[in-house]
Amino acid sequence: MQQRPLVETTLAHHLAYVAVDGIDGSWSFPHSARSGRDEKTFIAEVFDDLKSRYGFTPEKTVIGGFSIGASMAWYTSCQQGEKAAAMVTFSGVFWNPLPKPEDCIADLPPIVHFHGTADQTFPLAGRAIGKEFHQGNAYDSMALMRERARCDAKNAKSVTLDGIRCDDVPDCIRGDSIMCIHNGGHEARADMLDAGLTAVGFSK
């Protein structure tokens, strides 16, 4: 919640900003370096709580995340993507071994993902964390999601979001799958979020 530019940008798009945190600032998704609670159940309870207390519905919900939070968002989209209208993430994807396409639900939401070529914390190719854990490859992660969502790769096109050239694969089950590779590092910027939310249909 201290990232006020991200909060203010979200509010400008007529969305509430809900900050969901892992235990001790980390998450226990499949193959992560932390073990702990059942995150799939926890996130399902968050969705239920937001619906019961505030009336949040899937068509007005966007899954988001940065770094390891982005990884959690990818697993949430994979497992419970029908509960959101879209996903916008930064600098984090699945961890190795990646899920198989059939491990994810078919009803995946549209995706916009931003990742920097100079990211050394979560590189595009991933990296080893100690001897047992390994971040996944961003391109392979996106390919998996596109396969599961039955995107039409032959109709891929180039679009520009926040001045960044992005690869847009359309005609997925529920909408486009967009991957934006910039020359920056490990970051999530408000202007990127602004462009991402607009691209998935949440205009100011």
Side-chain angles (χ1 to χ4, degrees), residues 38-134:
D38 178 346
E39 303 290 22
K40 181 179 179 181
T41 298
F42 170 68
I43 294 297
E45 291 172 348
V46 170
F47 281 129
D48 289 344
D49 186 54
L50 291 172
K51 183 177 181 180
S52 64
R53 286 205 288 165
Y54 302 107
F56 288 12
T57 56
E59 62 269 18
K60 292 293 186 181
T61 300
V62 178
I63 299 169
F66 166 62
S67 191
I68 198 168
S71 294
M72 188 64 237
W74 277 66
Y75 285 102
T76 297
S77 182
C78 169
Q79 298 165 345
Q80 306 182 68
E82 78 283 358
K83 298 177 180 179
M87 178 175 82
V88 180
T89 51
F90 308 86
S91 306
V93 292
F94 292 127
W95 286 48
N96 287 343
L98 302 183
K100 297 180 177 63
E102 59 269 24
D103 293 335
C104 296
I105 63 168
D107 198 22
L108 291 169
I111 297 171
V112 178
H113 179 66
F114 293 90
H115 217 123
T117 56
D119 191 336
Q120 297 183 21
T121 302
F122 201 126
L124 280 162
R127 68 182 176 102
I129 305 295
K131 295 182 178 180
E132 298 182 47
F133 307 101
H134 202 290

Side-chain angles (χ1 to χ4, degrees), residues 6 21 26 33 44 131 169 179 190:
L6 298 179
D21 203 0
S26 191
K131 295 182 178 180
V169 177
M179 188 167 189

Side-chain angles (χ1 to χ4, degrees), residues 121-190:
T121 302
F122 201 126
L124 280 162
R127 68 182 176 102
I129 305 295
K131 295 182 178 180
E132 298 182 47
F133 307 101
H134 202 290
Q135 298 165 339
N137 182 292
Y139 295 104
D140 292 345
S141 293
M142 183 60 86
L144 182 158
M145 296 288 259
R146 287 171 170 170
E147 178 183 346
R148 185 57 171 154
R150 300 181 197 147
C151 304
D152 191 350
K154 67 178 180 291
N155 287 331
K157 58 188 176 181
S158 178
V159 298
T160 300
L161 300 184
D162 187 37
I164 303 166
R165 182 186 174 279
C166 306
D167 176 40
D168 181 353
V169 177
D171 303 323
C172 309
I173 290 176
R174 292 176 57 198
D176 291 17
S177 173
I178 303 173
M179 188 167 189
C180 301
I181 306 300
H182 56 86
N183 60 7
H186 195 65
E187 57 188 310
R189 299 201 313 263

Side-chain angles (χ1 to χ4, degrees), residues 6-51:
L6 298 179
V7 176
E8 298 303 329
T9 298
T10 302
L11 298 179
H13 285 262
H14 312 288
L15 294 165
Y17 189 95
V18 180
V20 185
D21 203 0
I23 296 174
D24 296 327
S26 191
W27 294 98
S28 301
F29 49 77
H31 315 298
S32 71
R34 294 283 186 93
S35 60
R37 69 185 171 200
D38 178 346
E39 303 290 22
K40 181 179 179 181
T41 298
F42 170 68
I43 294 297
E45 291 172 348
V46 170
F47 281 129
D48 289 344
D49 186 54
L50 291 172
K51 183 177 181 180

